[in-house]
Amino acid sequence: MKIAIASDHGGYELKSYIIKQYANSEHQFTDLGTHSEESCDYPLIADKMADYIVNKKADLGILVCGSGIGISIAANRHKGIRAALLYNEQVAALAKEHNNANVAVFGGRTQSKEEVMKYLDIFLNTEFSNGERHLRRIAQMG
Ligand code: RB5
């Protein structure tokens, strides 16, 4: 799968960790930045990711900021982006099964690396249910 990943400075460490963990996997990662812990603005990072996903340059995205909140809000302002903050195993599955989320979001300062890797694995290995009611609701969001 083609996966784009991006973070602000608050998510930089976790982003780097995720990339390393998947280094020898079947997935192809593209790092959209930021590339250091120097302070930067998460809305601009979310814009970059949205552009990448909407233009189908990757199958899925991963975004990280300090809390996961700011970058979720910013990403979800874009038509066609369904960014989900994954905070437990059930939500990691439901975000794909019901919402067909195309961006997984994490908080670099609020979540442990272990839990993030667990939720990401579930998210990547869960299929959208394709149920009529879920398709209808997603279509209603545009
Ligand atoms: C940056 O300090 C921090 O505000 C940002 O990473 C994020 O947590 C915002 O929601």
Side-chain angles (χ1 to χ4, degrees), residues 8-11 39-40 42 64-71 109:
D8 73 352
H9 55 290
S39 182
C40 66
Y42 62 79
V64 192
C65 70
S67 63
I69 299 292
I71 213 157
R109 294 173 180 157

Side-chain angles (χ1 to χ4, degrees), residues 1-141:
M1 202 181 294
K2 281 189 186 168
I3 299 173
I5 187 165
S7 75
D8 73 352
H9 55 290
Y12 175 75
E13 190 191 335
L14 179 58
K15 172 171 71 72
S16 308
Y17 180 82
I18 294 171
I19 292 170
K20 266 192 213 119
Q21 296 304 302
Y22 282 96
N24 296 317
S25 75
E26 76 274 24
H27 302 300
Q28 189 189 319
F29 272 71
T30 302
D31 185 355
L32 301 178
T34 186
H35 299 293
S36 77
E37 285 186 348
E38 193 180 322
S39 182
C40 66
D41 299 333
Y42 62 79
L44 306 182
I45 303 288
D47 289 352
K48 204 169 177 183
M49 175 62 77
D51 187 58
Y52 215 77
I53 298 293
V54 166
N55 289 304
K56 301 192 188 321
K57 292 183 195 159
D59 304 306
L60 287 176
I62 301 169
L63 282 173
V64 192
C65 70
S67 63
I69 299 292
I71 213 157
S72 297
I73 294 170
N76 279 316
R77 291 173 62 87
H78 292 267
K79 188 172 159 67
I81 295 298
R82 294 176 301 282
L85 179 57
L86 306 184
Y87 55 85
N88 68 30
E89 293 178 39
Q90 187 185 15
V91 162
L94 285 174
K96 184 68 84 50
E97 237 173 84
H98 286 193
N99 311 110
N100 202 14
N102 49 15
V103 179
V105 186
F106 299 104
R109 294 173 180 157
T110 55
Q111 294 182 280
S112 71
K113 293 183 172 78
E114 294 67 31
E115 65 178 311
V116 166
M117 293 312 295
K118 200 190 319 168
Y119 306 157
L120 190 51
D121 184 59
I122 293 170
F123 181 74
L124 295 179
N125 288 296
T126 302
E127 297 287 328
F128 176 46
S129 74
N130 232 10
E132 188 276 329
R133 71 184 193 282
H134 299 307
L135 285 165
R136 182 179 69 243
R137 289 162 189 164
I138 289 168
Q140 284 166 356
M141 292 188 279

